[in-house]
Amino acid sequence: MNTAAPDPRLEHARRLLDADELTLDQLGAAVGLSPTHLQRRFKDAFGLSPAEYRAQKKLSRLKHELRGPGDVTRALYEAGYGSASRVYEDGAARLGMLPGAYRRGGEGLTIHWSPIDTRLGKALIAATERGLCAIALGDDEAALEAELRDEFPQAQIARVQAGRDDFLAPRVQAVADLLAGKRGQVPIELIGTAFQQRVWEALMKIPRGETRSYAELAAQVGQPRAARAVARACAQNRLAVIVPCHRIIRADGSLGGYRWGLPRKDALLRAESGKTARQRG
């Protein structure tokens, strides 16, 4: 895995993008690189093109502004969007809902969730009318529910018993089968940046029982020097097991990190490979 520090000119370019919306030509002139070279090297270093990085920063600012005082229009312009139509065209897909609903903490959104007991502990499975929005693992059902409610404080969040919701029931069963080590598929909608989606889609192509290193996955998505960006995308995955970020390990064979705890990651890998804990050790 390449751990060398990025070229100082690329770090300078990133700082400039943090401060202002520069075109690729303007950015290249400011750091002394041609637009073509800057585009390629920036993406190699950070996993995003300068335009994708700028869009991600704007989306982050928009989320912050939408959570604060004031109306939606003010939030749009404070975040740097030139018009409301721009964020409704591309921002809505990344937020997973219209900006007004996000600002209101999911107001108007209905989320049904079910808890299930698995060999990995508790699992929370949640869905809107559009599809699964969360699969979380933990030790405490109340803590998992609190995390969901914290993300969408104004949404109508209803706990339902597994099997008692016509939309959620088949998805709960499919996820339960996956958590039990069975094979299966569940329809999902990936909501994230273009780079995150490429990483998550690549994760889902890793065969059961196999693993990849962060560097190998970075190469698979066409960004061989973006192993750290790949690791961040794995950490931001909201759909445990279905998007199998547990199949990514370090180049030395150690487990690395896992959002839902290393013991669960180890258990998932052992179940998929058919190995015992002693054999893995």
Side-chain angles (χ1 to χ4, degrees), residues 240-259:
V241 184
I242 289 182
V243 178
C245 53
H246 61 276
R247 294 176 188 162
I248 300 301
I249 61 175
R250 290 176 176 160
D252 63 5
S254 60
L255 292 180
Y258 191 55
R259 179 174 181 171

Side-chain angles (χ1 to χ4, degrees), residues 40-60:
R40 183 178 69 251
R41 294 176 66 178
F42 192 97
K43 197 163 188 176
D44 283 344
F46 303 119
L48 300 166
S49 70
E52 289 171 336
Y53 180 85
R54 184 172 63 242
Q56 194 174 66
K57 295 294 291 186
K58 285 175 66 176
L59 180 62
S60 178

Side-chain angles (χ1 to χ4, degrees), residues 67 111 113 124 126 133-153 157 235-238 259-260:
R67 292 298 195 193
I111 298 174
W113 69 277
L124 177 148
C133 62
I135 301 171
L137 307 176
D139 298 313
D140 182 75
E141 179 182 315
L144 292 173
E145 181 184 3
E147 183 179 344
L148 181 67
R149 291 184 179 278
D150 185 61
E151 180 71 16
F152 303 108
I157 297 179
Q236 291 159 345
N237 171 33
R238 299 183 189 92
R259 179 174 181 171
W260 295 284

Side-chain angles (χ1 to χ4, degrees), residues 14-29:
R14 184 162 66 168
R15 288 194 296 270
L16 290 173
L17 287 174
D18 286 341
D20 199 1
E21 289 195 35
L22 302 178
T23 67
L24 187 62
D25 287 343
Q26 291 170 330
L27 195 62

Side-chain angles (χ1 to χ4, degrees), residues 87-102:
V87 72
Y88 277 83
E89 288 166 3
D90 31 88
R94 293 182 176 183
L95 286 171
M97 66 190 77
L98 295 179
Y102 188 90

Side-chain angles (χ1 to χ4, degrees), residues 5-6 8 20-21 33 39 42 46 72 83 105 165 169 180 185 199 208 244:
D20 199 1
E21 289 195 35
L33 288 171
Q39 174 92 345
F42 192 97
F46 303 119
V72 172
S83 68
D165 180 284
Q185 292 185 333
V199 171
R208 179 185 172 87

Side-chain angles (χ1 to χ4, degrees), residues 71-89:
D71 58 24
V72 172
T73 300
R74 174 189 170 278
L76 299 181
Y77 287 97
E78 287 292 330
Y81 289 93
S83 68
S85 63
R86 287 294 303 277
V87 72
Y88 277 83
E89 288 166 3

